Amino acid sequence: MKLSSKNLETRQDTIYDAIVVGGGMGGLSAAIYLARYNLKCLVVEKGKGRSFWMQDLRNYVGFDPDTPGRNIIQHATQQAISWGADVLRGFVEEVTDEGETFAVHIKVGKSDTTGVTFRSKYVIAASGVIDVLPELNNMKNVFDYAGYTLHVCMICDGFDMWDQKAVLLVKTEAQINAAFVLNWFTPYISVLTNGLQVSDAMKQKLAEHGYPLYEQAIAEFLGKNHQLSGVRLADGTIVKATTGLVNMGSIYHNKYLKSIAGLEYDGENLVTNNMCQTSHPRIFALGDLKQGLNQVSIAVADGTLAATQIWRNIRRESAPRKWQENITEASKDSQAKDVELKT
């Protein structure tokens, strides 16, 4: 069922088997499997996550390369609902461990906000990350190219940058080291720090590779129809480029878990076992929130693993289902035989 502020009360007394925080590729994969295991699950999606901004999906099996991420999300959401999952557009503010259940506190709505709390036996953290983009006065100018010819994932899109003139956008000196990996795909790399001053050692290293360095602030991106042609800097310099890689870090959507004691992190990534189970036995983490590659294919597989482990746990704790009619008939036959023996 698709939930909203108008029908939340229909689920207020429900104890879900699992609440999935995040309706991206991994979260929806988990929801589809949970629903097909006939488990009660709720997906809470805040909207416009990383998958939504993918303008095409170049490297996922079975889809045309120009399939936008939002199309897959819409299709998978409907698929999850059709199997019996509940889906709610909202923002998870906090998860509280109550012992046998979790209380998941959710904010619903933007202008007329409603607070609601749902409970579940398990929580699947699939809220992912969002990439940091250059902060310009005109952010629409950034969004005109981000996800098109201005990329955020070298593994996903390195091939599409092959031998093109590229800009590498960073905000720390350590992030410049991506240039020495990006050069597998193209050696025509200009490094833009957007005002950051770089050490002499890094300048020397870039010079040895022939990569120009620009420490001026970025004024705007140039081009049309989402096709990058260059970058104008604050001093008027124009750096020509037909593609680019933004390597400015990520924001992790994991604050709602910070009150949970005992969760093990590696930096901001949750540490999990091979079934995506965290150090808390009833919390699972998928995709970009856990250690590993930030790839759609990984997140989808993670959803399968987490849902399956939760089903195994619940199944093992449940009494086996019996064919009652056969048991009743067998009991009648046994009673009839007892009567015959007595007579």
Side-chain angles (χ1 to χ4, degrees):
M1 178 189 291
K2 189 173 183 179
L3 299 181
S4 69
S5 56
K6 296 180 181 179
N7 62 357
L8 290 175
E9 69 281 354
T10 63
R11 293 292 195 263
Q12 281 288 253
D13 295 330
T14 299
I15 302 296
Y16 287 98
D17 292 302
I19 290 180
V20 183
V21 184
M25 306 295 192
L28 289 170
S29 171
I32 289 168
Y33 273 85
L34 288 166
R36 286 178 59 81
Y37 288 133
N38 203 32
L39 297 176
K40 296 189 293 292
C41 73
L42 167 66
V43 180
V44 184
E45 166 59 18
K46 64 177 179 54
K48 295 186 177 180
R50 203 181 196 197
S51 299
F52 177 86
W53 292 106
M54 290 190 309
Q55 306 304 328
D56 46 39
L57 198 63
R58 300 286 193 183
N59 51 355
Y60 195 80
V61 175
F63 284 92
D64 291 335
D66 59 354
T67 303
R70 59 185 177 275
N71 284 13
I72 300 174
I73 291 171
Q74 290 169 359
H75 184 275
T77 299
Q78 291 304 315
Q79 188 178 356
I81 291 172
S82 71
W83 291 120
D86 289 340
V87 176
L88 172 65
R89 176 61 64 90
F91 179 78
V92 175
E93 296 184 297
E94 187 179 15
V95 173
T96 306
D97 189 351
E98 298 180 322
E100 294 184 359
T101 60
F102 293 104
V104 180
H105 309 285
I106 306 167
K107 183 173 68 176
V108 180
K110 293 183 178 180
S111 55
D112 188 13
T113 301
T114 301
V116 62
T117 298
F118 287 108
R119 285 174 169 80
S120 66
K121 300 173 186 175
Y122 290 85
V123 167
I124 297 179
S127 42
V129 304
I130 196 70
D131 300 283
V132 176
L133 297 175
E135 294 186 10
L136 306 186
N137 291 331
N138 179 14
M139 286 305 295
K140 183 181 181 301
N141 175 247
V142 180
F143 296 136
D144 280 343
Y145 301 97
Y148 294 95
T149 49
L150 189 59
H151 305 287
V152 295
C153 176
M154 191 190 313
I155 294 174
C156 306
D157 302 314
F159 178 84
D160 298 306
M161 303 172 74
W162 196 270
D163 279 352
Q164 293 189 56
K165 284 190 175 181
V167 287
L168 173 66
L169 310 177
V170 302
K171 62 184 299 185
T172 69
E173 182 163 319
Q175 292 166 347
I176 295 175
N177 287 303
F180 311 115
V181 182
L182 181 60
N183 62 15
W184 172 265
F185 299 101
T186 179
Y188 311 117
I189 303 168
S190 296
V191 176
L192 279 59
T193 67
N194 198 25
L196 173 73
Q197 300 300 302
V198 175
S199 69
D200 290 339
M202 180 57 76
K203 289 178 180 178
Q204 178 62 32
K205 187 174 182 180
L206 290 170
E208 289 172 356
H209 286 75
Y211 304 156
L213 171 67
Y214 299 90
E215 297 173 301
Q216 302 93 321
I218 297 171
E220 64 174 334
F221 294 94
L222 306 174
K224 60 181 180 179
N225 298 326
H226 309 302
Q227 175 59 58
L228 189 69
S229 64
V231 182
R232 188 193 309 277
L233 304 180
D235 65 357
T237 301
I238 294 178
V239 181
K240 292 183 179 181
T242 55
T243 189
L245 177 67
V246 180
N247 188 45
M248 302 178 73
S250 303
I251 298 170
Y252 285 74
H253 296 308
N254 59 13
K255 290 183 180 178
Y256 58 91
L257 292 174
K258 293 300 185 177
S259 64
I260 302 293
L263 282 178
E264 184 181 353
Y265 289 86
D266 178 12
E268 286 295 307
N269 291 111
L270 283 157
V271 177
T272 64
N273 65 12
N274 60 359
M275 294 299 286
C276 301
Q277 188 177 38
T278 70
S279 50
H280 190 299
R282 291 183 293 111
I283 296 178
F284 290 73
L286 314 181
D288 300 348
L289 281 190
K290 58 182 273 292
Q291 295 168 310
L293 287 177
N294 293 4
Q295 294 289 291
V296 167
S297 54
I298 302 296
V300 170
D302 285 346
T304 305
L305 292 170
T308 299
Q309 187 59 57
I310 289 171
W311 166 68
R312 287 174 177 172
N313 293 347
I314 292 174
R315 174 177 58 82
R316 290 163 181 166
E317 294 170 355
S318 303
R321 301 176 69 195
K322 299 178 181 180
W323 192 337
Q324 295 296 335
E325 293 88 349
N326 282 354
I327 294 172
T328 302
E329 290 301 320
S331 177
K332 288 180 180 178
D333 290 345
S334 177
Q335 291 173 6
K337 287 179 181 178
D338 287 344
V339 171
E340 288 176 4
L341 290 172
K342 289 178 180 177
T343 57

